[in-house]
Every structure is written in structure tokens, then in C-alpha cells.
Amino acid sequence: MALFDELHDREDVRAIILTGAGRAFSAGADLKERPSAEPGVYPAHNRLVRAAFDAIIECEKPVIAAVNGAAIGAGCVMALCCDILVVSEDAFLSMTEVDVGLAGGVRHTLRHFSPSDARLMIYTARRFTGPELYRMNAASYCVPGAQLLATAQGIAAEIAQKVPLAIRAAKKSFATTEEMPLRDGYRFEQSQTVALSRTEDTREAQKAFAEKRVPVFKGR
């Protein structure tokens, strides 16, 4: 939470890549560390878990998940909290909760998978490999492991060239309109465009486009 809160506010950050340092993206929660049944323990634990995931979703910078290996349970949800998924060919996502008598991650899987595939994932605890995730439209790219980080960095670099305020507004629109009716969601997007049209950066972007030069953005 502290890390993503910091990245949220840093003006020198335009996009974020989240990946694993070892063979796995994230093996998820340690079952040995499950909360006790004492009154009040589970609500406090669940609140903390939600806040951790929300820190990724609510970070105003786009977050790219470079899934380099296993992403299991809470680790799978962490990947699904990101804006864009890039997976290696030998990576996989798996929601194993039903194997241990739990049932989490339903709402998050529905953000990236069709209703049928989300249910298949939750009910069976199957592993969905990189190529399967790409076929299911859950991941934007599936590449050999050696190309994973470079692919994610290329996307991040492309995002970093865009108007920062416009990227921020676009991410806010995705988060705000996700469960809105079409008409209400589009009205919100239009309000974002109106607000952007009054900014220095938008005027600079349009002027640079007309003058065929590289724009210089100031974040205002």
C-alpha cells in the first residue's frame, strides 16, 4: 500500500510494471498465516487485504502486470487488479480457493474473464497458462519469458509519451464507469474531456500535433 501510494503521487512516474522477482509472480497467501477465529480478527484482516488490492486499482498511474510465473489465489487477484496483463508462455493464473475450502476472487475474475470462464476458473481451481489466457482475451500479450519484461517496458514507454493528465483521466473513467449504465458512463467520460480541454497540457498536445513536433508536458 505504501509503495503504490507513493507511486500515485510521484510526478516522475508515468506507468508502473508489477512483476515477480523469482520464478513466481506471486504464490498468494500463506495458509499457515490465516487469521484466527477470534472475534474481530477476520474483519480487520479482510479490510487490510482489500486496501492492498485497492492501492493498485486506485493508483492513478496505469499498472502493467508482467506475469512471469505462477500467480495463485491472492497472487492471481493481485495480477487482475492491474490495468494491463502481459504473460509469459510458461506463466499461469489459478484461483485455488475451493481446494482449501475457501471462495475468494469471484468479482476480480469477472473483470478480466467472460462469465463462463470466470466460473470455470473458480469452480475447478484449474491453472490457465499464458497461451490460454491470451486466447481467452484475459491477457494482451503472451510472449517467451525472455521477452516479457521488454514487452511490458515497451507498453509503459508508449504510455509515458501520452498526456499525463489524459492518462490519469482515462484510468479514472475506467474505474468510475465500470458498473455504470452506458449512458451515465459516457456522460462521465465527456465531463472528463471537458475538464481536460481547459488544461495547459491538452493545449500543448494539440499545438505540438499541428506543428509536427514532440510535445512538452507540465502536468497542468
Side-chain angles (χ1 to χ4, degrees), residues 144-216:
Q147 299 174 20
L148 179 69
L149 200 54
T151 301
Q153 289 170 335
I155 298 168
E158 194 173 348
I159 293 170
Q161 295 172 5
K162 310 306 179 187
V163 182
L165 291 176
I167 293 292
R168 187 186 310 168
K171 178 156 184 178
K172 184 176 181 181
S173 289
F174 273 110
T176 304
T177 65
E178 186 172 4
E179 297 180 43
M180 280 185 177
L182 175 62
R183 184 173 182 273
D184 294 340
Y186 190 56
R187 286 181 67 182
F188 176 82
E189 291 177 53
Q190 289 179 313
S191 72
Q192 294 282 89
T193 298
V194 170
L196 285 168
S197 69
R198 301 185 178 120
T199 66
E200 230 180 273
D201 277 0
T202 292
R203 289 193 291 270
E204 164 65 7
Q206 294 175 357
K207 186 177 180 183
F209 178 81
E211 296 173 354
K212 295 181 171 57
R213 62 173 174 81
V214 177
V216 178

Side-chain angles (χ1 to χ4, degrees), residues 38-144:
E38 295 179 15
V41 175
Y42 247 114
H45 169 80
N46 288 345
R47 190 179 304 113
L48 186 64
V49 171
R50 287 196 304 273
F53 293 150
D54 287 346
I56 299 173
I57 295 172
E58 295 172 5
C59 178
E60 67 180 18
K61 314 295 168 52
V63 183
I64 302 163
V67 185
N68 57 304
I72 304 170
C76 176
V77 171
M78 185 163 60
L80 298 178
C81 287
C82 298
D83 296 283
I84 299 169
L85 266 67
V86 180
V87 297
S88 68
E89 292 173 343
D90 55 354
F92 68 87
L93 300 187
S94 180
M95 292 300 301
T96 57
E97 272 69 0
V98 296
D99 283 341
V100 290
L102 303 174
V106 169
R107 187 62 189 87
H108 286 281
T109 60
L110 283 170
R111 294 181 71 234
H112 286 269
F113 294 88
S114 72
S116 178
D117 287 336
R119 285 166 171 79
L120 181 65
M121 186 178 210
I122 295 292
Y123 296 163
T124 68
R126 286 185 190 176
R127 295 182 176 186
F128 288 96
T129 64
E132 290 174 309
L133 294 166
Y134 181 71
R135 175 184 60 77
M136 298 159 81
N137 293 320
S140 297
Y141 291 87
C142 177
V143 297

